CSV table of all heavy atoms in Angstrom, one decimal:
chain,number,residue,atom,x,y,z
B,1333,LEU,N,7.1,17.7,30.6
B,1333,LEU,CA,6.4,17.9,29.3
B,1333,LEU,C,7.0,16.9,28.2
B,1333,LEU,O,6.2,16.3,27.5
B,1333,LEU,CB,6.5,19.3,28.8
B,1333,LEU,CG,5.7,20.4,29.7
B,1333,LEU,CD1,6.1,21.8,29.2
B,1333,LEU,CD2,4.2,20.2,29.5
B,1334,TYR,N,8.3,16.9,28.2
B,1334,TYR,CA,9.0,16.0,27.2
B,1334,TYR,C,8.6,14.5,27.5
B,1334,TYR,O,8.2,13.8,26.6
B,1334,TYR,CB,10.5,16.2,27.3
B,1334,TYR,CG,11.2,15.3,26.4
B,1334,TYR,CD1,11.4,15.7,25.0
B,1334,TYR,CD2,11.8,14.1,26.8
B,1334,TYR,CE1,12.1,14.9,24.2
B,1334,TYR,CE2,12.5,13.3,25.9
B,1334,TYR,CZ,12.7,13.7,24.6
B,1334,TYR,OH,13.4,12.9,23.7
B,1335,GLU,N,8.6,14.2,28.8
B,1335,GLU,CA,8.3,12.8,29.2
B,1335,GLU,C,6.8,12.5,28.8
B,1335,GLU,O,6.5,11.3,28.4
B,1335,GLU,CB,8.5,12.5,30.6
B,1335,GLU,CG,10.0,12.4,30.9
B,1335,GLU,CD,10.3,12.4,32.4
B,1335,GLU,OE1,9.4,12.5,33.3
B,1335,GLU,OE2,11.5,12.3,32.8
B,1336,ALA,N,5.9,13.5,29.0
B,1336,ALA,CA,4.5,13.3,28.6
B,1336,ALA,C,4.4,13.0,27.1
B,1336,ALA,O,3.7,12.0,26.7
B,1336,ALA,CB,3.7,14.5,29.0
B,1337,ALA,N,5.1,13.8,26.3
B,1337,ALA,CA,5.0,13.6,24.8
B,1337,ALA,C,5.6,12.2,24.5
B,1337,ALA,O,5.0,11.5,23.6
B,1337,ALA,CB,5.8,14.7,24.1
B,1338,VAL,N,6.7,11.8,25.1
B,1338,VAL,CA,7.2,10.5,24.8
B,1338,VAL,C,6.3,9.4,25.3
B,1338,VAL,O,6.0,8.4,24.5
B,1338,VAL,CB,8.6,10.3,25.4
B,1338,VAL,CG1,9.1,8.9,25.3
B,1338,VAL,CG2,9.6,11.3,24.8
B,1339,ALA,N,5.7,9.5,26.4
B,1339,ALA,CA,4.8,8.5,27.0
B,1339,ALA,C,3.6,8.3,26.1
B,1339,ALA,O,3.1,7.1,26.0
B,1339,ALA,CB,4.4,8.9,28.4
B,1340,PHE,N,3.1,9.3,25.5
B,1340,PHE,CA,1.9,9.2,24.6
B,1340,PHE,C,2.3,8.8,23.2
B,1340,PHE,O,1.4,8.8,22.3
B,1340,PHE,CB,1.1,10.5,24.7
B,1340,PHE,CG,0.2,10.5,25.9
B,1340,PHE,CD1,0.6,11.3,27.0
B,1340,PHE,CD2,-1.0,9.8,26.0
B,1340,PHE,CE1,-0.2,11.4,28.1
B,1340,PHE,CE2,-1.8,9.9,27.1
B,1340,PHE,CZ,-1.4,10.7,28.2
B,1341,GLY,N,3.6,8.6,23.0
B,1341,GLY,CA,4.0,8.0,21.7
B,1341,GLY,C,4.4,9.0,20.6
B,1341,GLY,O,4.5,8.6,19.4
B,1342,PHE,N,4.6,10.2,21.0
B,1342,PHE,CA,5.0,11.2,19.9
B,1342,PHE,C,6.5,11.2,19.7
B,1342,PHE,O,7.2,10.7,20.5
B,1342,PHE,CB,4.5,12.6,20.3
B,1342,PHE,CG,3.0,12.7,20.5
B,1342,PHE,CD1,2.5,12.8,21.8
B,1342,PHE,CD2,2.2,12.7,19.4
B,1342,PHE,CE1,1.1,12.8,22.0
B,1342,PHE,CE2,0.8,12.7,19.6
B,1342,PHE,CZ,0.3,12.8,20.9
B,1343,GLY,N,6.8,11.6,18.5
B,1343,GLY,CA,8.3,11.6,18.1
B,1343,GLY,C,8.8,10.3,17.5
B,1343,GLY,O,10.0,10.2,17.3
B,1344,ARG,N,8.0,9.3,17.4
B,1344,ARG,CA,8.4,8.1,16.8
B,1344,ARG,C,7.3,7.4,16.0
B,1344,ARG,O,6.1,7.8,16.3
B,1344,ARG,CB,8.9,7.1,17.8
B,1344,ARG,CG,7.9,6.7,18.9
B,1344,ARG,CD,8.4,5.7,19.9
B,1344,ARG,NE,7.4,5.3,20.8
B,1344,ARG,CZ,7.2,5.9,22.0
B,1344,ARG,NH1,8.0,6.9,22.4
B,1344,ARG,NH2,6.3,5.5,22.8
B,1345,VAL,N,7.6,6.5,15.1
B,1345,VAL,CA,6.5,5.9,14.3
B,1345,VAL,C,5.7,5.0,15.2
B,1345,VAL,O,6.1,4.6,16.3
B,1345,VAL,CB,7.1,5.0,13.2
B,1345,VAL,CG1,7.8,5.9,12.1
B,1345,VAL,CG2,8.0,4.0,13.7
B,1346,THR,N,4.4,4.9,14.8
B,1346,THR,CA,3.4,4.2,15.7
B,1346,THR,C,3.6,2.7,15.7
B,1346,THR,O,3.1,2.1,16.6
B,1346,THR,CB,2.0,4.6,15.2
B,1346,THR,OG1,1.9,4.2,13.9
B,1346,THR,CG2,1.7,6.1,15.4
B,1347,GLY,N,4.2,2.2,14.6
B,1347,GLY,CA,4.2,0.7,14.5
B,1347,GLY,C,3.2,0.1,13.6
B,1347,GLY,O,3.1,-1.1,13.5
B,1348,LEU,N,2.5,1.0,12.9
B,1348,LEU,CA,1.5,0.6,12.0
B,1348,LEU,C,2.1,-0.2,10.8
B,1348,LEU,O,1.6,-1.2,10.3
B,1348,LEU,CB,0.7,1.8,11.4
B,1348,LEU,CG,-0.5,1.4,10.5
B,1348,LEU,CD1,-1.6,0.8,11.3
B,1348,LEU,CD2,-0.9,2.7,9.8
B,1349,GLY,N,3.3,0.3,10.4
B,1349,GLY,CA,4.1,-0.5,9.4
B,1349,GLY,C,3.9,0.0,8.0
B,1349,GLY,O,4.7,-0.4,7.1
B,1350,LEU,N,3.0,0.9,7.8
B,1350,LEU,CA,2.8,1.4,6.4
B,1350,LEU,C,4.0,2.2,5.9
B,1350,LEU,O,4.6,2.9,6.7
B,1350,LEU,CB,1.6,2.3,6.3
B,1350,LEU,CG,0.2,1.7,6.2
B,1350,LEU,CD1,-0.9,2.8,6.0
B,1350,LEU,CD2,0.1,0.6,5.2
B,1351,PRO,N,4.4,1.9,4.7
B,1351,PRO,CA,5.6,2.7,4.2
B,1351,PRO,C,5.3,4.2,4.1
B,1351,PRO,O,4.2,4.6,3.8
B,1351,PRO,CB,5.8,2.1,2.8
B,1351,PRO,CG,4.6,1.4,2.4
B,1351,PRO,CD,3.9,1.0,3.7
B,1352,GLY,N,6.3,4.9,4.5
B,1352,GLY,CA,6.2,6.4,4.4
B,1352,GLY,C,5.8,7.1,5.7
B,1352,GLY,O,5.7,8.3,5.7
B,1353,GLU,N,5.6,6.3,6.7
B,1353,GLU,CA,5.2,6.9,8.0
B,1353,GLU,C,6.4,7.7,8.6
B,1353,GLU,O,7.5,7.3,8.6
B,1353,GLU,CB,4.7,5.8,9.0
B,1353,GLU,CG,4.2,6.5,10.3
B,1353,GLU,CD,3.8,5.5,11.3
B,1353,GLU,OE1,3.9,4.3,11.1
B,1353,GLU,OE2,3.3,5.9,12.4
B,1354,ILE,N,6.0,8.9,9.0
B,1354,ILE,CA,7.1,9.8,9.6
B,1354,ILE,C,7.0,9.8,11.1
B,1354,ILE,O,6.0,9.4,11.7
B,1354,ILE,CB,7.1,11.2,9.0
B,1354,ILE,CG1,5.7,11.9,9.3
B,1354,ILE,CG2,7.3,11.2,7.5
B,1354,ILE,CD1,5.7,13.3,8.9
Side-chain angles (χ1 to χ4, degrees):
Chain B
L1333 291 169
Y1334 180 82
E1335 286 171 359
V1338 171
F1340 280 99
F1342 299 106
R1344 60 177 183 264
V1345 293
T1346 58
L1348 185 72
L1350 280 188
E1353 186 181 1
I1354 60 171

